[in-house]
């Protein structure tokens, strides 16, 4: 139930596009453009909503092709990691003390981040496939939720289903 609460109460809709150049059937170099939303709340009546625009570069490794070079399976398992930058705008709502205070944090300049993730893929045909990915992104600041605590870096996740065209 905790995962469902995270998805329903702390998630926003996002989408992205990824271009990959395969160096070999095992390794690819990719670039991604991502837009999404985040939200969250705590028990002290403070909540936030944020929009994020991110661009990154990453390396993808197909584990099945790495372990079995003569693989003819339609399934793929990939791991990936990379670095990028993002900009965000966060609106925080503070309902404590019986008054509503609204605070806005707009970065305006790109912030550095790094990430890692894994995904499953299935080739429907020679040119079309479907994917399921999950990744964790580590921001190099503590401002995404507009609440600085102990100077810990914030992070966000991206879970997606997609269609690929080769």
């Amino acid at each position: 139930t905790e995962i469902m609460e995270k998805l329903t109460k702390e998630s926003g809709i996002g989408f992205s596009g990824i271009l990959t150049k395969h160096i070999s059937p095992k390794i690819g170099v990719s670039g991604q453009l991502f837009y999404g939303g985040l939200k969250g709340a705590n028990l002290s009546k403070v909540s936030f909503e944020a929009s994020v625009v991110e661009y990154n570069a990453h390396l993808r490794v197909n584990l099945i092709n790495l372990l079995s070079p003569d693989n003819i399976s339609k399934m793929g398992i990939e791991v990936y990691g990379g670095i990028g930058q993002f900009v965000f705008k966060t609106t925080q709502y503070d309902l404590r003390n019986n008054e509503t205070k609204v605070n806005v944090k707009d970065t305006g300049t790109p912030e550095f981040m790094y990430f890692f993730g894994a995904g499953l893929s299935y080739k429907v045909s020679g040119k079309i496939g479907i994917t399921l990915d999950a990744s964790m992104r580590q921001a190099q600041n503590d401002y995404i939720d507009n609440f600085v605590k102990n100077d810990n870096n914030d992070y966000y996740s991206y879970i997606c289903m997609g269609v690929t065209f080769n």
Side-chain angles (χ1 to χ4, degrees):
T1 60
E2 185 177 320
I3 291 174
M4 289 309 294
E5 283 186 22
K6 287 248 182 224
L7 290 174
T8 58
K9 295 182 180 177
E10 295 185 12
S11 297
I13 294 187
F15 57 91
S16 72
I18 300 174
L19 291 176
T20 302
K21 171 65 176 161
H22 290 279
I23 298 168
S24 74
K26 302 171 194 171
I27 298 174
V29 177
S30 300
Q32 180 179 31
L33 180 61
F34 163 79
Y35 172 81
L38 304 169
K39 60 183 176 179
N42 63 23
L43 298 176
S44 65
K45 298 184 180 180
V46 178
S47 63
F48 79 94
E49 295 176 351
S51 60
V52 176
V53 176
E54 172 194 311
Y55 51 91
N56 67 61
H58 58 279
L59 187 67
R60 302 179 79 85
V61 177
N62 185 317
L63 294 178
I64 292 178
N65 289 348
L66 186 66
L67 299 173
S68 176
D70 299 325
N71 173 38
I72 58 170
S73 172
K74 292 184 174 193
M75 291 293 298
I77 301 173
E78 289 188 333
V79 293
Y80 53 90
I83 59 172
Q85 292 186 309
F86 69 105
V87 293
F88 62 92
K89 181 177 181 180
T90 300
T91 304
Q92 179 192 64
Y93 305 94
D94 188 341
L95 305 175
R96 296 175 291 188
N97 303 323
N98 293 325
E99 62 180 275
T100 301
K101 291 177 17 183
V102 178
N103 301 308
V104 176
K105 173 73 174 175
D106 191 346
T107 58
T109 59
E111 302 275 342
F112 180 77
M113 53 75 73
Y114 64 90
F115 66 99
F116 61 91
L120 299 173
S121 62
Y122 180 76
K123 292 180 187 175
V124 176
S125 69
K127 293 195 179 274
I128 304 292
I130 55 174
T131 61
L132 179 63
D133 281 49
S135 62
M136 179 69 65
R137 276 124 155 93
Q138 173 76 53
Q140 296 303 292
N141 68 46
D142 190 20
Y143 302 115
I144 294 176
D145 55 3
N146 205 13
F147 183 75
V148 176
K149 182 179 180 184
N150 300 329
D151 203 28
N152 292 331
N153 291 334
D154 284 334
Y155 65 91
Y156 56 101
S157 317
Y158 183 49
I159 300 170
C160 66
M161 293 178 12
V163 177
T164 59
F165 180 75
N166 296 311

